[in-house]
Amino acid sequence: MRKWIAVVVLVGVAGVGAFLWLGGEPAPRAAVLRAEPGTAHYAPIATRALDPQPLTVAEMFPGPSVSSGTTKLMLRTTETLADCAEGVWGSVEDALGGCTQVLRARYETEDGTVSGQFLIFNLADSAAADRLVAALKGGGFVRPAPDTPDGFDGSRSWAQVRGLGHYVTVSWVAPLVEGGRVDLTYPQVAVDGLGLVIQRRLVR
């Protein structure tokens, strides 16, 4: 009897997950997630008062592609969200202290086997950024871009979350093909490298 109840509960949870992904909240989270809070290196941009200029799409996503090794991912779409809550789901919404914008871009490998996305959150200060980093490790996560392909496999995806001064970046890559092993190392490095743009703000 207990086994039967357990099966029913598991099926129910799976059904809710499918419902959230298909119709309500986007349920996928990264299967492999690394999260790093900020460091003293980013003290010059620890607050928005020290770094008041808003982010722009042209600044964050200046080229048509990103690459690492022999892997190239083509830029598909970009967007700026004034309502930061539109970029996340679940309890993460409670950790958006002073967030004024989210920039999001979606990438795809030339052969169509991997999709990646990069988000950057503009928060009030580094303390708020660290809280968001911590929240992204718990319940909820970032929302997939609206044009994310149906084959985006969150169950095999990788993500890197970083606190960079008063910013938080999220790079997230996943296979678009069923079954088999897909090496996400180079796609992850390529998409995560977009956060290096923020280094330029340290010397302004």
Side-chain angles (χ1 to χ4, degrees):
M1 182 66 175
R2 289 180 179 177
K3 290 183 178 180
W4 182 82
I5 292 174
V7 170
V8 171
V9 170
L10 288 173
V11 170
V13 170
V16 170
F19 167 75
L20 293 177
W21 169 236
L22 294 172
E25 297 287 1
R29 283 178 48 84
V32 177
L33 173 63
R34 294 186 61 191
E36 300 177 11
T39 67
H41 175 73
Y42 293 95
I45 56 170
T47 69
R48 193 181 297 119
L50 294 171
D51 175 42
Q53 192 68 25
L55 298 166
T56 67
V57 167
E59 175 187 10
M60 290 306 306
F61 314 117
S65 65
V66 292
S67 60
S68 177
T70 59
T71 300
K72 178 184 287 187
L73 293 94
M74 308 305 297
L75 178 62
R76 297 305 189 200
T77 57
T78 62
E79 58 185 325
T80 302
L81 307 176
D83 182 356
C84 297
E86 294 181 5
V88 301
W89 62 273
S91 60
V92 180
E93 293 184 22
D94 299 327
L96 293 172
C99 185
T100 56
Q101 61 176 166
V102 180
L103 272 61
R104 178 167 58 192
R106 191 180 73 78
Y107 292 81
E108 195 170 302
T109 53
E110 293 178 294
D111 61 4
T113 59
V114 176
S115 178
Q117 41 201 303
F118 181 91
L119 298 89
I120 182 165
F121 296 79
N122 188 338
L123 297 143
D125 53 37
S126 58
D130 285 349
R131 286 193 294 272
L132 179 55
V133 170
L136 287 164
K137 293 192 297 182
F141 199 54
V142 297
R143 293 178 182 269
D147 65 332
T148 298
D150 292 339
F152 188 88
D153 189 350
S155 68
R156 293 190 289 157
S157 65
W158 295 5
Q160 173 75 58
V161 179
R162 298 184 188 274
L164 308 176
H166 69 101
Y167 301 104
V168 170
T169 63
V170 181
S171 53
W172 189 19
V173 296
L176 291 177
V177 292
E178 293 184 7
R181 182 178 181 274
V182 177
D183 188 352
L184 298 176
T185 303
Y186 286 128
Q188 178 71 80
V189 171
V191 176
D192 188 52
L194 288 160
L196 293 174
V197 170
I198 294 301
Q199 300 288 337
R200 299 172 187 168
R201 294 197 167 218
L202 295 174
V203 296
R204 286 185 180 177

